[in-house]
Amino acid sequence: SLAVSGSIIIAGTGGGVFMSTNNGGNWTAMNNGLTDTLVMSLLVDGTNIFAGTRNGGLFKTSNNGNSWTAVNNGIMSSSAIFALSKSGANIFAGASNGLYSSSDNGINWAFVSNIPLYTFLSFAVSGSNIFAGTDGSIFFSSDNGINWTAINDGLTNNNINFSLYTSGSGIFA
């Protein structure tokens, strides 16, 4: 997983989080506090960086990775966090056991129960529209994640793994 915070490039890897301040010339491991270094997803939200891991849930740093804190209140233990996204005031965590949302900057998480239980693997956001790719469907919300609808017409394979992308008025899976 890759993310950018200002002039810092952030890479989530099988060995933790690495950061570069010189366009990838040098990388520094920033894993203090991560109890799981298999990082599957990253999200930059202002001065906060979130890291979703394979077995340890979700972590947050507010000091560019110098220290990480687990932020799993409300997330089922041992959830793999495959995808992270933000729409409006809501942060979404796509997990191996469903979709979670937080409206308080990751302090508390709520299971999104108005959507079928799938493994959520990718997100794409365009304005207040958010698309979620899963292992069985693509879901769409036009109200920052309050209501969700399956949008699978024309798909020959509903297993949308790790990539969604919006461009103009289109979405690519």
Side-chain angles (χ1 to χ4, degrees):
S1 183
L2 293 170
V4 175
S5 177
S7 62
I8 300 171
I9 300 171
I10 309 157
T13 73
V17 176
F18 292 82
M19 297 191 184
S20 174
T21 57
N22 62 358
N23 289 319
N26 298 325
W27 294 89
T28 303
M30 305 298 276
N31 296 322
N32 183 32
L34 284 179
T35 58
D36 180 5
T37 56
L38 182 52
V39 178
M40 308 294 291
S41 55
L42 294 167
L43 172 70
V44 175
D45 182 29
T47 59
N48 296 312
I49 303 168
F50 293 87
T53 67
R54 178 72 174 133
N55 299 305
L58 190 58
F59 294 84
K60 176 178 154 182
T61 181
S62 297
N63 57 16
N64 287 325
N66 287 313
S67 62
W68 294 88
T69 303
V71 287
N72 293 308
N73 189 29
I75 296 177
M76 183 182 287
S77 65
S78 74
S79 294
I81 308 296
F82 291 114
L84 293 165
S85 190
K86 182 166 184 179
S87 181
N90 296 319
I91 299 172
F92 294 93
S96 55
N97 59 351
L99 180 62
Y100 295 88
S101 69
S102 173
S103 60
D104 60 5
N105 205 23
I107 296 169
N108 296 293
W109 294 88
F111 183 74
V112 178
S113 60
N114 65 345
I115 192 168
L117 184 61
Y118 286 108
T119 298
F120 284 76
L121 300 165
S122 58
F123 291 112
V125 177
S126 178
S128 63
N129 297 322
I130 184 166
F131 301 87
T134 74
D135 61 350
S137 187
I138 293 180
F139 292 94
F140 167 71
S141 173
S142 62
D143 54 10
N144 292 314
I146 296 169
N147 297 294
W148 294 89
T149 304
I151 54 168
N152 298 312
D153 290 348
L155 290 177
T156 58
N157 181 346
N158 291 348
N159 189 3
I160 307 303
N161 284 326
F162 296 104
S163 188
L164 286 175
Y165 182 74
T166 59
S167 178
S169 63
I171 181 164
F172 298 87

